[in-house]
Amino acid sequence: MAINKLLLTFAICRLIVTVGLTVDPAELLRLGVDGQLSVDPSDVEIASLDFGLLSRAEPMAVLRPASAEDIARLVRAAYNSAGGFTVSARGHGHSINGQAQTSSGVVIEMSRRSGGGQLGGLGNPNPPQVSVKEMHADVWGGELWIDVLRSTLEYGLAPKSWTDYLYLSVGGTLSNAGISGQAFNHGPQISNVHELDVVTGKGEILTCSEEENSKLFHAVLGGLGQFGIITRARISLEPAPHRVRWIRVLYSSFSSFTRDQEYLISLYGNPPSQKFDYVEGFVIVDEGLINNWRSSFFSPRNPVKISSIGSNGGVLYCLEITKNYYQSTVDTIDQEVEYLLKKLNYIPSSVFTTDLPYVDFLDRVHKAELKLRSKGLWDVPHPWLNLFVPKSRIADFDKGVFKGILGNKTSGPILIYPMNRNK
Ligand SMILES: Cc1cc2nc3c(=O)[nH]c(=O)nc-3n(C[C@H](O)[C@H](O)[C@H](O)COP(=O)(O)OP(=O)(O)OC[C@H]3O[C@@H](n4cnc5c(N)ncnc54)[C@H](O)[C@@H]3O)c2cc1C
């Protein structure tokens, strides 16, 4: 059965060793970590906020760990101290509602990159280790997915399941789920992990997997940072495709749109040539949107005027699909795409196609980020909402929300994509 994931935002939770608090910051500085324990106001300020810019909590100190042992030392101190104090892992701080913040405790800055993406002073003591034979990579919990991709591509390999945006940390997305258009096929990112090293609430460092400490493994994956701090993840890899055919088609009928989305994800068991590799979509309630969010890859060759297409109640739905290919399959890609498109019921005049290197497709949102940053529109509050809606109620949702509450008054991105519950 399919469910639809609506991205009006991504949000969720906060971490770990929570007990009261009264600890002298000077005591913390005597912990003797190899990394940096900072009470510098500028470090504290960064850790007080996140991408949402909606909530603020000021920690007492910030730890930039040099190793998993540094993290374990801090958590043991929290666990053993008389008053106790809170500890929160912060990946890249791209939560919306303070999930990685803690007031008065210690925030552990897992990523070595700043909010803008630059590498910080400690460099990277644990670069990804790729095993070509086993087709996996061992990566530091604070590694950003963009850096995992760059490292694995050196071996012609890449992770299988993604988020739309790659400047997120491995620990941060594995604490949620890590979902994008590939999830119908491979499952979310948490379904593509073989093994983890985790610092538990008592400050032990444990390895866990399906076979070893399996309860911890399943608690930490999607555990919202509440069951331990991921310091290493073993990520499953596949041969990296060379290029991507990226297609957008439009619908004025919501039922045709969802029927086609559900049909496409039902093909997950088919051979690679007989299914798309990525299925997403978005809702267009505002004329400006289709030529705006993430779509500079299509324009100016493919500008769209909603009024020229004719929409039902002012709302259009855009199905986004891709087909990966290799040098060896370059001769058949046109045929494969044509065969799959024939089965769909989109508005015939509305096929928009582009073709680009695999990396450029995966890193597409960064291009939008740079554009928004240059206009001062990235570091602004992000009141986003993320919902899973069952297939049985998605038509009601369309009627009540897209055609009802929203009208044509919103210009923010509204992603809507189908998920297989069994993945
Ligand atoms: C522009 C943008 C696009 C996005 N696109 C997608 C998308 O396509 N798909 C999707 O699934 N999500 C998406 N998200 C949401 C994103 O995946 C989550 O917000 C994710 O938690 C952010 O990762 P982060 O590294 O910034 O984590 P943070 O915000 O730093 O932390 C998130 C949570 O994880 C915990 N945590 C962080 N590191 C660790 C660790 N090493 N061990 C244990 N717990 C830890 C934190 O304590 C906190 O609870 C997007 C977010 C943004 C801002």
Side-chain angles (χ1 to χ4, degrees):
M1 182 201 272
I3 51 173
N4 262 291
K5 177 189 182 228
L6 286 161
L7 172 81
L8 306 170
T9 197
F10 292 89
I12 326 189
C13 186
R14 176 185 325 205
L15 176 74
I16 229 174
V17 188
T18 310
V19 209
L21 159 91
T22 34
V23 99
D24 179 358
E27 245 179 71
L28 281 178
L29 296 175
R30 285 195 289 273
L31 265 179
V33 292
D34 296 325
Q36 291 171 353
L37 236 173
S38 168
V39 290
D40 188 298
S42 61
D43 291 334
V44 169
E45 176 64 14
I46 290 168
S48 305
L49 297 167
D50 62 19
F51 184 75
L53 286 183
L54 299 169
S55 80
R56 180 188 173 85
E58 214 169 279
M60 179 170 53
V62 173
L63 172 67
R64 288 199 195 89
S67 63
E69 185 46 47
D70 273 358
I71 298 171
R73 202 168 288 156
L74 176 75
V75 175
R76 278 198 298 271
Y79 184 72
N80 293 325
S81 82
F85 58 92
T86 55
V87 174
S88 182
R90 184 179 195 267
H92 207 213
H94 278 57
S95 292
I96 302 304
N97 212 8
Q99 287 89 340
Q101 295 167 3
T102 182
S103 57
S104 309
V106 180
V107 167
I108 305 175
E109 288 281 8
M110 296 297 294
S111 168
R112 270 102 190 185
R113 282 184 183 263
S114 68
Q118 294 82 15
L119 262 184
L122 283 179
N124 188 353
N126 313 92
Q129 302 293 316
V130 177
S131 164
V132 176
K133 189 160 161 252
E134 307 284 340
M135 299 278 271
H136 66 228
D138 282 316
V139 306
W140 170 247
E143 201 73 61
L144 299 195
W145 284 99
I146 181 71
D147 296 321
V148 176
L149 177 63
R150 285 186 185 135
S151 301
T152 58
L153 281 178
E154 287 177 21
Y155 301 86
L157 301 174
K160 299 171 184 170
S161 188
W162 293 97
T163 47
D164 290 358
Y165 176 61
L166 306 188
Y167 287 69
L168 305 170
S169 76
V170 168
T173 70
L174 294 186
S175 297
N176 289 279
I179 291 172
S180 184
Q182 302 87 359
F184 79 93
N185 201 16
H186 295 292
Q189 290 180 322
I190 52 171
S191 302
N192 291 277
V193 178
H194 297 304
E195 190 178 280
L196 300 171
D197 283 346
V198 170
V199 175
T200 68
K202 289 184 179 174
E204 299 166 296
I205 305 175
L206 295 181
T207 299
C208 57
S209 64
E210 288 282 358
E211 292 78 33
E212 188 181 2
N213 295 314
S214 63
K215 277 191 185 159
L216 180 66
F217 185 66
H218 291 295
V220 169
L221 290 173
L224 308 173
Q226 300 298 298
F227 299 94
I229 298 174
I230 300 166
T231 54
R232 177 186 63 95
R234 178 166 285 179
I235 311 289
S236 180
L237 304 176
E238 65 178 359
H242 297 129
R243 293 191 69 83
V244 171
R245 185 68 51 86
W246 182 7
I247 300 144
R248 286 180 171 173
V249 292
L250 296 177
Y251 296 77
S252 54
S253 154
F254 186 68
S255 57
S256 302
F257 169 70
T258 51
R259 205 179 310 120
D260 280 357
Q261 280 199 327
E262 285 158 16
Y263 163 70
L264 289 173
I265 66 167
S266 75
L267 303 178
Y268 70 91
N270 278 11
S273 62
Q274 288 168 35
K275 63 186 169 190
F276 282 111
D277 293 292
Y278 163 102
V279 180
E280 273 200 24
F282 56 91
V283 185
I284 304 162
V285 291
D286 176 280
E287 172 113 17
L289 188 62
I290 192 157
N291 296 314
N292 197 346
W293 169 257
R294 304 191 304 166
S295 69
S296 52
F297 293 98
F298 290 83
S299 60
R301 275 183 298 151
N302 291 133
V304 179
K305 269 218 154 295
I306 292 185
S307 46
S308 70
I309 285 179
S311 63
N312 178 6
V315 180
L316 280 175
Y317 309 93
C318 179
L319 173 68
E320 256 196 331
I321 40 198
T322 71
K323 188 107 199 71
N324 300 336
Y325 63 102
Y326 301 83
Q327 296 304 350
S328 57
T329 51
V330 73
D331 292 340
T332 53
I333 178 72
D334 290 343
Q335 263 171 283
E336 287 171 15
V337 167
E338 200 183 321
Y339 166 81
L340 285 163
L341 284 179
K342 265 196 195 137
K343 316 253 173 180
L344 307 180
N345 286 304
Y346 50 84
I347 300 168
S349 59
S350 72
V351 186
F352 305 94
T353 304
T354 189
D355 196 287
L356 65 176
Y358 187 54
V359 187
D360 293 3
F361 172 72
L362 289 181
D363 199 24
R364 61 202 177 280
V365 178
H366 186 53
K367 195 169 170 190
E369 173 185 355
L370 295 176
K371 202 162 138 196
L372 290 171
R373 276 190 189 279
S374 70
K375 294 180 184 164
L377 293 174
W378 186 256
D379 292 321
V380 295
H382 291 99
W384 293 1
L385 172 65
N386 201 29
L387 298 170
F388 286 96
V389 179
K391 179 180 171 177
S392 59
R393 300 305 304 276
I394 193 68
D396 294 337
F397 197 93
D398 171 60
K399 208 165 140 204
V401 179
F402 302 145
K403 297 205 181 89
I405 297 170
L406 295 183
N408 59 0
K409 292 185 270 313
T410 179
S411 56
I414 307 170
L415 306 189
I416 170 164
Y417 46 99
M419 308 279 306
N420 282 317
R421 200 188 282 266
N422 62 355
K423 288 280 178 179

